[in-house]
């Protein structure tokens, strides 16, 4: 989620009360991005092609033999020194999710010979 800082002034009639203002800061949600559908990295077993989320980015476990390192300590994406040996950055979570939602349907070879009336 992303937040924006807003200022709110207390006082009546659009002015200040007694020549002073009382300022408070509030947080207001400005976007409604869906949460990333991929789980965060945890130490354990991963297979080649597994996808995880870290800091709003999506990572894909590389093919064998590199996939052996995906769940090992020392290979956590963006945290440990050798993460690029096991993981491939796929991109920002919202972009990867949007791309995954696109479905390509091949065209039919011609008109349907006997369409079903509705």
């Amino acid at each position: 989620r992303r937040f924006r800082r807003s200022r709110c002034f207390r006082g009546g009639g659009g002015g200040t009360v007694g020549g002073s203002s009382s300022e408070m800061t509030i947080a207001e949600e400005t976007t409604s991005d869906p949460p990333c559908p991929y789980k965060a990295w945890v130490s354990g077993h991963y297979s080649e092609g597994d996808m995880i989320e870290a800091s709003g980015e999506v990572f894909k476990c590389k093919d064998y033999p590199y996939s052996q390192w995906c769940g090992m300590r020392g290979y956590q994406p963006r945290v440990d020194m050798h993460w690029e040996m096991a993981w491939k950055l796929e991109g920002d979570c919202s972009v990867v999710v949007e791309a995954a939602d696109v479905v390509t349907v091949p065209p039919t070879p011609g008109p349907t010979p006997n369409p079903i009336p509705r």
Side-chain angles (χ1 to χ4, degrees):
R1 292 184 180 177
R2 296 183 185 121
F3 294 91
R4 176 182 57 176
R5 292 181 64 152
S6 299
R7 291 186 180 174
C8 179
F9 294 92
R10 293 183 192 163
T16 59
V17 178
S20 66
S21 67
S22 175
E23 182 182 321
M24 68 178 169
T25 302
I26 58 171
E28 175 181 295
E29 189 171 347
T30 58
T31 64
S32 59
D33 293 339
C36 193
Y38 302 105
K39 295 187 179 197
W41 180 92
V42 293
S43 179
H45 177 76
Y46 290 94
S47 299
E48 55 187 71
D50 285 350
M51 308 270 269
I52 57 112
E53 181 269 337
S55 302
E57 295 177 308
V58 177
F59 298 87
K60 183 177 185 179
C61 182
K62 290 185 176 181
D63 293 339
Y64 181 85
Y66 309 104
S67 59
Q68 298 176 72
W69 300 320
C70 290
M72 294 175 63
R73 295 189 189 279
Y75 296 92
Q76 183 177 356
R78 296 280 193 223
V79 174
D80 295 313
M81 187 172 168
H82 303 293
W83 72 267
E84 290 178 288
M85 294 175 71
W87 295 97
K88 178 183 178 221
L89 173 63
E90 292 291 303
D92 181 74
C93 188
S94 61
V95 174
V96 172
V97 171
E98 287 172 12
D101 289 340
V102 175
V103 177
T104 304
V105 178
T108 56
T112 307
N114 296 319
I116 300 170
R118 293 184 184 199

